[in-house]
Amino acid sequence: MGAASRSEEHVGEWKLSIQADTPEEIFQEAARVMAQECGPVGDQPGQWRDVSLEARDRGTLLVDWINELVGLSEVDGVAYDEVAVDSLTDTSISARVRGRPALEYQSALKAATYHGLTFEKQDGYWVAEVILDI
Amino acid sequence: MNRQDVRLVSQYTYELDKKHRDDMRIPCRVYADEDLLEAMLRGETITQLANVATLPGVVDYVYGMPDMHEGYGFPVGGVAATEMPDGVVSPGGVGFDINCGVRLLSTPLTRKRVGKRAEALVHEISRSVPAGAGKSGALRLDASDLDKVLEQGSPFLVRSKGLGLEEDLAHTESGGCLPGADASKVSERAKDRGRGQLGTMGSGNHFVEVQHIDEIYDEEAAEAMGLEKDQVTVLIHSGSRGLGHQVCTDYVRIMDSRLAEKGITLPDRQLSCAPASSPEGQDYLAAMACAANYAWSNRQLIAHQVREAITGLFHHVDTEQVRVIYDVAHNIAKIEEYDGRSLCVHRKGATRAFGAGHPELPEAYREIGQPVFIPGSMGTASYVLAGLPTSRQRSWGSTCHGAGRSLSRTAAKKKITGAELRKQLESRGITVRCPSNQGLAEEAPFAYKDVERVAEVVEKAGLARRVARLKPFGVVKG
């Protein structure tokens, strides 16, 4: 199946729902969605960057992952849509990310929140829901 | 949550009893009329207010302002005070955009005098103030100067960089600098995000709006503020940009990870908190103060850029004639004294509204009360009000910050396109500059509550009184 995501209505903010076959694909899809928000990008991918995080559970790890990418993207002006996961557990992720320079950085995302956070297996798929502040 | 769960206790004041839920420590009070309340009851807004009433150390009442709407953790338009030293401080009770706020400038121009140069004025402002997410400003700060901005606030920009007037500081809440700021408590990531963004508007509902005063309600207060009918004003709405967002992200994460060891359980993790006296609480207050100071500096620089745009176009106008009426924060936590108690007052999407006589007011406003601003959405009026003494007892000296959202961004975009909205506004004589049509549609006027109704309830609830109404003729949006 791969991963699929959708945005949902949430007064004032943005609710992101992701469904995938594996937890790794959830993290990859989250990166792809964050990268999309950066707007049009150039052709040449940049250098790979290391991202390593630890958190108390999978959902918290996802929030921290999204926030790391939001911050990195804004500082670097890069849409990090390529993710190579070296290791992923329930409480840690070690990955490399790469992306293309945003032609004019557009992401209005401030951060992912813990409000209404879920990350669980449902009917054979992994499903995560995160609310982001815009 | 149903209508029966809240009872009318006095005119425009509703109460949710603390018995509504076992974990509520205190009751909640909401300032609204029946229609505004009905809208709040449709979602999770009042439930979120009840969640705030569970915070350790929270006292008396948690208050909901007339523009309150659903957020995450705290509702937007919520006010809560916790008792020091051990009551908690909650970064979610301040918000990601620390010291998002509003600054009103007056000019010696009238709408009539601006005449057909209105579009040129808006255009010049849009050229002078970078707008949009991630935008960089003209002022690049080295590490030392950034730390000075964080610890000294807008006085550093005025006194060391010549970016504004000394009088600006007297008319800025807290003089543009919150004490206790410690730049070492701000992460390098936050500094990296903020370093190039000073003097930029940001995106979303941030704006610089050009208006004229079309109605005066309180002649005495208007005179004290230097406001007259037909006068051109400029309203600036912006905050602490990526630096503030990162400070909140960092400290919500830290506090969330330590809730269990502190024995704190919460109905919503986004309320994550720590006792203000704890190392985490003290660090957050010091970092929050830095972000607040950054935001005041940001609005100071934007105001400087607006001044240059105005004096560049209207050569007979001197810099000193473009005056700061006031600058208020609407996402902040402040240590304040109430009847011998030291309280940490969290205002999320709410502003101070101190009444006449308060010692923190600038001299010019000590007899009339603190200026308060309720910005409307694009195309609608904004209001200038003055805080009332009764706000102290009714809402920890607070009032609302705007009209509050009633529709999600997605719903707004479904009802109108940015191009259609731009055309509608321009047909009403409002010049619009916005880099993104999508961003414009998300901020359509119908996505917000009725500002006229909100302002009326604020006045009738005894929080602030109307002084003047501002009608827009130009808006620069992020």
Side-chain angles (χ1 to χ4, degrees), chain B residues 331-353:
Chain B
N331 279 355
I332 203 159
K334 286 190 152 183
I335 309 299
E336 298 173 358
E337 302 297 314
Y338 289 86
D339 303 320
R341 291 187 296 178
S342 183
L343 304 177
C344 182
V345 182
H346 298 69
R347 295 183 178 91
K348 181 171 177 189
T351 77
R352 276 183 166 180

Side-chain angles (χ1 to χ4, degrees), chain B residues 64-120:
Chain B
M65 298 297 109
D67 64 340
M68 187 170 61
H69 67 82
E70 197 172 324
Y72 36 87
F74 267 66
V76 180
V79 180
T82 55
E83 190 157 5
M84 300 294 98
D86 299 324
V88 299
V89 60
S90 174
V94 171
F96 285 100
D97 197 353
I98 296 169
N99 191 7
C100 187
V102 177
R103 174 176 291 213
L104 182 68
L105 305 176
S106 70
T107 77
L109 300 167
T110 61
R111 181 66 185 95
K112 193 174 172 184
R113 182 73 193 261
V114 167
K116 289 183 178 152
R117 302 180 83 188
E119 187 170 344

Side-chain angles (χ1 to χ4, degrees), chain B residues 20-40:
Chain B
H20 173 74
R21 261 169 44 187
D22 290 340
D23 57 349
M24 282 174 68
R25 297 171 193 260
I26 55 171
C28 303
R29 283 205 165 165
V30 178
Y31 296 107
D33 61 19
E34 276 292 331
D35 288 343
L36 289 170
L37 180 70
E38 197 61 39
M40 294 174 193

